[in-house]
Amino acid sequence: MSGHHPHNSDLHEPQDVTRKAITRRVALIGMGVNFFLTIAQILGGLWAHSQALIADAIHTLSDLIGDIVVLFASHHAAKDADEDHPYGHGRIETVATVVLGLLLGVVSAFIFYSAMERLLGHTPLVMPSPIAMGFAALAIIGKEALYQYTIYIAKRIQSPMLKASAWHHRSDAISSILVLIAIGGAQLGYPWLDAVAAIIVALMIFYMAIQLILESTNELIDAGLAPEQVQEIRDYINSINGVENLHFLRTRRMGGQVLADVHL
């Protein structure tokens, strides 16, 4: 006999509805904080003449766009299975994770290019005002708080998409830390630290982007679970009364779910 065995309690409709509501709340909170930080960093960068702070604001803006993607995906991914999508719409969440990864990659390329332009002298180095350090510190606190909150929820509901969003927040927090150091270094007479810090940030963000894209594309091409996880599922099925033989087991992931096709 051929059967479809969901290996996750989150497949029940009440949990799906709750998952959608939780993801929506996380996205809305992230959007609110990111909108405030983007405005604060842009105004602060213009007021304090800090190119690094303005660049960091662009990074924060990418987080805001990412939150909008999460909100859109969570709404559609929670839809029930239908005739055209018998396994549900969980892959929308996976595609959204790829989009977030690509967004991180684009942002890292922009930061890297701008920093190299400054470091090579193609763009004049500007001495920022000390007040820029206060705006950088505000961004660090806001982004790290968002990371801690989002990664906690992501683990609780097993959402790769929220995990991607959380790391987007963390990458921006790291960016803001290096911006703070760079602005402090500029006050001590080392304006080139701004460009060096930006390059380091760009490389870190790019690495995160590659990791997220690879993880999500593996899911899109139906990569199976690890051998030990497959064996755990096999042992569980064999322990069910009435199962005489299990001669086919195929697994894959879809969003926060694990799907298993079995022949008994």
Side-chain angles (χ1 to χ4, degrees), residues 87-101:
Y87 289 100
H89 297 76
R91 284 285 165 82
I92 294 177
E93 186 172 318
T94 310
V95 172
T97 306
V98 174
V99 171
L100 289 177

Side-chain angles (χ1 to χ4, degrees), residues 221-264:
I221 62 175
D222 285 334
L225 300 182
E228 58 271 18
Q229 293 175 304
V230 173
Q231 187 59 47
E232 183 182 347
I233 295 174
R234 185 183 299 275
D235 292 341
Y236 170 77
I237 294 174
N238 281 323
S239 69
I240 298 174
N241 287 335
V243 174
E244 297 180 4
N245 181 37
L246 189 162
H247 60 90
F248 177 84
L249 173 60
R250 182 171 58 193
T251 62
R252 53 180 164 162
R253 292 185 180 277
M254 184 175 288
Q257 305 170 355
V258 171
L259 306 181
D261 295 313
V262 300
H263 290 179
L264 304 178

Side-chain angles (χ1 to χ4, degrees), residues 46 83-84 105 115 173 189 207:
L46 293 173
E83 191 174 326
D84 293 328
Y207 174 76

Side-chain angles (χ1 to χ4, degrees), residues 140-150:
I140 293 168
I141 294 171
K143 301 303 296 187
E144 182 60 23
L146 272 182
Y147 167 77
Q148 295 294 341
Y149 172 66
T150 307

Side-chain angles (χ1 to χ4, degrees), residues 161-183:
M161 181 176 64
L162 281 185
K163 179 184 175 183
S165 184
W167 276 105
H168 208 164
H169 296 320
R170 168 57 68 83
S171 72
D172 214 357
I174 294 172
S175 171
S176 297
I177 289 173
L178 293 179
V179 166
L180 178 63
I181 294 172
I183 294 172

Side-chain angles (χ1 to χ4, degrees), residues 15-31 67 69-75 77-78 93 149-150 153-154 156-163 165:
Q15 280 78 9
D16 277 344
V17 173
T18 302
R19 178 187 176 88
K20 176 183 174 182
I22 291 174
T23 305
R24 177 182 171 83
R25 184 176 70 236
V26 172
L28 288 174
I29 290 173
M31 288 170 65
D67 289 327
V69 172
V70 168
L71 195 60
F72 171 82
S74 66
H75 172 72
E93 186 172 318
Y149 172 66
T150 307
I153 299 297
R156 202 178 87 187
I157 67 173
Q158 298 180 352
S159 172
M161 181 176 64
L162 281 185
K163 179 184 175 183
S165 184

